[in-house]
């Protein structure tokens, strides 16, 4: 069996996003899953606004939006009677810097199908029924994981079938991760045996309930929640407090048990529930791996962290793990970046996971408090923290110096999510937005102000063919000589800088560059492939831009890779 670049273990949303991101970079990817067929899992109810941005970058957001529905208002009952209604997303409209103001409801199996189709477009298919039972890392002179060409590898043993080899392995195989266990990585935390919920997908008789609402019955002796599954006529997500035996122990979920719970808490008869499948018991688990990387093997998603369901952050945190890791693996495999770049995955994502554990536990506590009172419900779990848009990495070694905005000054800091902004293509006038400019597996250098032209030209000359794009952001009033259709742009020898017109001023407002417009040198912003700001620098500080790009992309066309690059990413 030949060597593959990356073996991904687990074909849920985390593994599929990582596979899509690596495949479009040209990496040789295999993705295996122990299930003999794609599981119709339903627990995750859909992507949050930040995950929608990632799915947009991967080219599947429109399909996800079409297959899903907007989050629904919540209708809450006590003693079978409606007592309150809440729409926790009512105020979350899209804004110029965030095109997705709210998440999307979509069955997890439907989202996985969309991602599998996207992956098949790159010629990669999930290999079902492949259970990993052994991992052996070949020793190498560089114990940190080696440079891409260094010959280090992981030998992989399966429960049946021939063994395999990969340069890197990523465990995206869930809370009971075989990869994590094979590495001997601890999974510290707690399981609350009292915090139990039974879940399943059910069919209700047509017309039994209004499908424009998420119905929630909270009584003193238990609860039932029913949310319509988008794309189905009679399908609902069923969640409830479990039935218990005479000693108070939770009983396993059954279709008849669901019918009894429905009849007990709601005004519907048990027979209104015509089918129940994908039955499972959910216990509140709050656990985190003590490290996300062991040499050439990494962990992502539930394999690395699990937490309370409140706020719906489980699948979303995994998707965002994958998007942080994909570009780093891609640059290391291409030989541009040293393998130490992979250390920044744990450096950035482990604190985010820890914060997510705290946040979801707090949201669960708030929800349990809220439902004691008539009218309380799951809206207590939804806050601006659950959008994912405020997650950043200011502490990261990849958040470079340069000019950080002063306190209260507008504009993102290095490490923050790079804001979106509507604008127009300077050459064609076609409407676009900055996240469209960022889309695809490249680093982007934005230039604001006339003084940025030299840095953009130098960057395009050095890196135009090597995974870096440049984009001049013109203010509406600026002279755009050279950007008009048919204009001869002087630097056509390299890859010419692209250009957009910030005709409504949204980009300048989002990046805090209004003040530098006509007088100062302008500003250069380096945006990583995962839409996070790497560097904010004055446009006359070409050296900072060059040094930052060298850390990620080597020295470009100009010379052999510098031995100093290794030090730069330590």
């Amino acid at each position: 069996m030949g060597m593959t670049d990356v073996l991904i273990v687990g074909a849920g949303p985390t593994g599929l996003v990582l596979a899509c991101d690596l495949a479009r970079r040209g990496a040789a990817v295999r993705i295996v899953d122990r299930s003999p067929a794609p599981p119709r899992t339903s627990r995750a109810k859909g992507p949050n606004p930040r995950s929608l941005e990632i799915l947009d970058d991967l080219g599947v957001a429109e399909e996800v939006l079409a297959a899903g529905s907007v989050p629904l208002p919540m209708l809450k009952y006590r003693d079978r009677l409606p007592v309150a209604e809440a729409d926790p997303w009512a105020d979350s409209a899209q804004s110029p810097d965030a095109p997705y103001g709210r998440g999307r409801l979509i069955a997890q199996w439907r989202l996985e199908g969309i991602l599998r189709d996207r992956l098949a477009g790159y010629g990669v298919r999930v290999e079902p029924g492949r259970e990993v039972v052994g991992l052996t890392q070949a020793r190498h002179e560089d114990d940190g994981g080696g440079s891409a060409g260094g010959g280090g590898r992981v030998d992989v043993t399966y429960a049946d079938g021939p063994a395999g080899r990969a340069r890197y392995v990523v465990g995206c195989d869930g809370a009971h991760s075989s990869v994590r266990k094979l590495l001997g990585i601890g999974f510290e935390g707690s399981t609350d045996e009292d915090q139990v919920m039974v879940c399943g997908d059910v069919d209700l008789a047509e017309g039994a309930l209004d499908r424009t609402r998420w119905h929630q019955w909270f009584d003193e002796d238990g609860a039932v929640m029913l949310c319509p599954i988008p794309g189905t006529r009679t399908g609902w997500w069923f969640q409830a407090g479990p039935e218990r035996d005479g000693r108070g122990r939770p009983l396993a979920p059954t279709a008849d048990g669901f019918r009894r719970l429905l009849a007990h808490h709601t005004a519907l008869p048990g027979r209104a529930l015509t089918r129940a499948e994908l039955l499972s018991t959910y216990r509140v688990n709050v656990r985190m791996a003590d490290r996300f990387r062991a040499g050439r093997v990494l962990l992502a998603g539930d394999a690395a962290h699990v937490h309370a369901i409140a706020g719906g952050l489980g699948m979303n945190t995994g998707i965002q793990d994958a998007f942080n890791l994909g570009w780093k693996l891609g640059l290391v495999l291409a030989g541009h970046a040293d393998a130490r770049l992979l250390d920044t995955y744990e450096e950035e994502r482990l604190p985010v996971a820890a914060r997510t554990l705290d946040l979801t536990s707090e949201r669960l506590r708030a929800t349990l408090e809220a439902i004691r009172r008539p009218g309380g419900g799951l809206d207590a779990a939804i806050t601006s923290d659950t959008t994912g848009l405020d997650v950043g990495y200011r502490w990261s070694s990849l958040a470079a110096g340069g000019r950080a905005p002063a306190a209260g000054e507008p504009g993102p800091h290095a490490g923050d999510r790079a804001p979106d902004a509507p604008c127009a293509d300077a050459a064609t006038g076609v409407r676009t937005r900055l996240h469209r400019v960022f889309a695809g597996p490249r680093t982007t250098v934005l230039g604001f102000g006339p003084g940025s032209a030299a840095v953009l030209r130098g960057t395009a000359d050095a890196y135009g063919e090597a995974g870096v794009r440049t984009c001049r952001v013109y203010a509406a009033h600026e002279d755009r000589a050279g950007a008009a259709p048919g204009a001869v742009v002087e630097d056509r020898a390299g890859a010419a800088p692209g250009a957009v017109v910030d005709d409504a001023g949204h980009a300048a407002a989002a990046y805090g560059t209004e003040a530098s417009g006509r007088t100062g040198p302008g500003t250069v912003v380096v945006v990583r492939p995962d839409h996070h700001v790497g560097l904010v620098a004055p446009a006359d500080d070409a050296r900072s831009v060059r040094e930052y790009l060298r850390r990620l992309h080597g020295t470009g066309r100009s010379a052999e890779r510098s031995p100093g690059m290794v030090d730069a990413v330590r």
Side-chain angles (χ1 to χ4, degrees), residues 77 80 209 215-219 222-226 265-267:
Y77 303 75
R80 301 186 177 182
L209 279 177
H215 302 267
Q216 303 172 9
W217 292 264
F218 291 110
D219 295 316
V224 167
M225 292 153 276
L226 282 163
H265 289 284
T266 82

Side-chain angles (χ1 to χ4, degrees), residues 79-169:
D79 299 326
R80 301 186 177 182
L81 297 172
V83 290
E85 186 166 336
D87 182 354
W89 296 277
D91 297 328
S92 51
Q94 65 188 102
S95 59
D97 66 340
Y100 303 104
R102 55 183 71 179
R104 201 77 175 166
L105 284 178
I106 181 172
Q108 183 174 325
W109 55 264
R110 183 77 185 85
L111 175 63
E112 289 174 0
I114 291 169
L115 288 167
R116 278 196 305 275
D117 289 347
R118 185 66 174 174
L119 188 57
Y122 296 112
V124 180
R125 294 187 186 279
V126 175
E127 301 173 44
R130 301 283 277 160
E131 183 180 359
V132 173
V133 294
L135 294 172
T136 308
Q137 300 200 50
R139 300 299 284 175
H140 186 245
E141 65 274 6
D142 167 347
D143 205 33
S147 61
R153 66 172 195 266
V154 186
D155 293 319
V156 184
T157 311
Y158 298 98
D160 50 44
R165 266 181 192 175
R167 291 186 172 86
Y168 292 93
V169 172

Side-chain angles (χ1 to χ4, degrees), residues 134-351:
L135 294 172
T136 308
Q137 300 200 50
R139 300 299 284 175
H140 186 245
E141 65 274 6
D142 167 347
D143 205 33
S147 61
R153 66 172 195 266
V154 186
D155 293 319
V156 184
T157 311
Y158 298 98
D160 50 44
R165 266 181 192 175
R167 291 186 172 86
Y168 292 93
V169 172
V170 186
C172 304
D173 50 343
H176 302 291
S177 169
S178 302
V179 171
R180 187 188 66 239
K181 290 170 183 170
L182 288 167
L183 294 173
I185 288 178
F187 203 46
E188 295 306 312
S190 61
T191 302
D192 190 334
E193 296 295 342
D194 290 334
Q195 289 293 334
V196 180
M197 188 166 65
V198 289
C199 314
D201 283 15
V202 304
D203 275 344
L204 296 182
E206 201 160 352
L209 279 177
D210 174 4
R211 289 185 65 85
T212 67
R213 296 291 181 272
W214 184 349
H215 302 267
Q216 303 172 9
W217 292 264
F218 291 110
D219 295 316
E220 291 191 11
D221 61 346
V224 167
M225 292 153 276
L226 282 163
C227 183
I229 303 175
T232 67
R233 212 172 73 241
T234 57
W236 296 77
W237 284 300
F238 182 101
Q239 297 165 280
E243 294 186 296
R244 295 182 182 266
D245 66 14
R247 300 165 90 180
R249 291 176 301 199
L251 295 172
T254 63
D256 282 339
F258 280 11
R259 291 187 180 98
R260 286 189 293 270
L261 287 164
L262 189 72
H264 179 72
H265 289 284
T266 82
L268 296 171
R271 67 177 180 279
L273 195 154
T274 57
R275 178 192 61 97
E277 62 180 22
L278 302 175
L279 307 187
S280 65
T281 298
Y282 169 80
R283 284 180 174 78
V284 174
N285 262 311
V286 181
R287 295 178 181 276
M288 194 165 85
D290 46 39
R291 53 200 170 115
F292 290 5
R293 180 184 181 203
R296 289 177 170 268
V297 186
L298 302 106
L299 300 174
D302 285 356
H305 43 76
V306 291
H307 44 77
I309 204 167
L313 291 175
M315 177 186 77
N316 287 293
T317 306
I319 287 173
Q320 292 154 34
D321 285 346
F323 204 54
N324 182 288
L325 179 57
W327 67 273
K328 296 172 182 178
L329 273 170
L331 288 178
V332 171
L333 288 164
H336 296 306
D338 185 270
R340 288 177 185 81
L341 180 64
L342 299 179
D343 289 334
T344 68
Y345 166 64
E346 177 182 296
E347 179 192 2
E348 292 181 342
R349 294 303 296 174
L350 193 145

Side-chain angles (χ1 to χ4, degrees), residues 336-337 463 545-555 562 564-565:
H336 296 306
Y463 293 100
V545 176
R546 199 163 51 240
E547 286 178 356
Y548 191 81
L549 291 174
R550 185 178 294 142
R551 294 172 66 180
L552 304 184
H553 294 274
T555 49
S562 149
M565 202 186 84

Side-chain angles (χ1 to χ4, degrees), residues 45-58 60-62 64-65 69-71 88-95 97-106 111 311-317 319-320 323 381-391 417-420 433 435 530-532:
K45 288 192 175 66
N48 66 12
R50 177 62 189 134
S51 292
L52 283 172
E53 293 180 345
I54 292 168
L55 296 169
D56 189 32
D57 194 290
L58 295 175
V60 297
E62 286 182 15
V64 170
L65 293 176
S69 78
V70 295
W89 296 277
D91 297 328
S92 51
Q94 65 188 102
S95 59
D97 66 340
Y100 303 104
R102 55 183 71 179
R104 201 77 175 166
L105 284 178
I106 181 172
L111 175 63
L313 291 175
M315 177 186 77
N316 287 293
T317 306
I319 287 173
Q320 292 154 34
F323 204 54
I382 308 299
T383 68
S384 61
D385 290 336
T386 57
T387 64
L389 297 173
D390 61 341
V391 172
R417 167 189 164 275
D420 202 356
R433 47 194 177 84
H435 276 210
D530 58 355
H531 316 157
H532 283 267

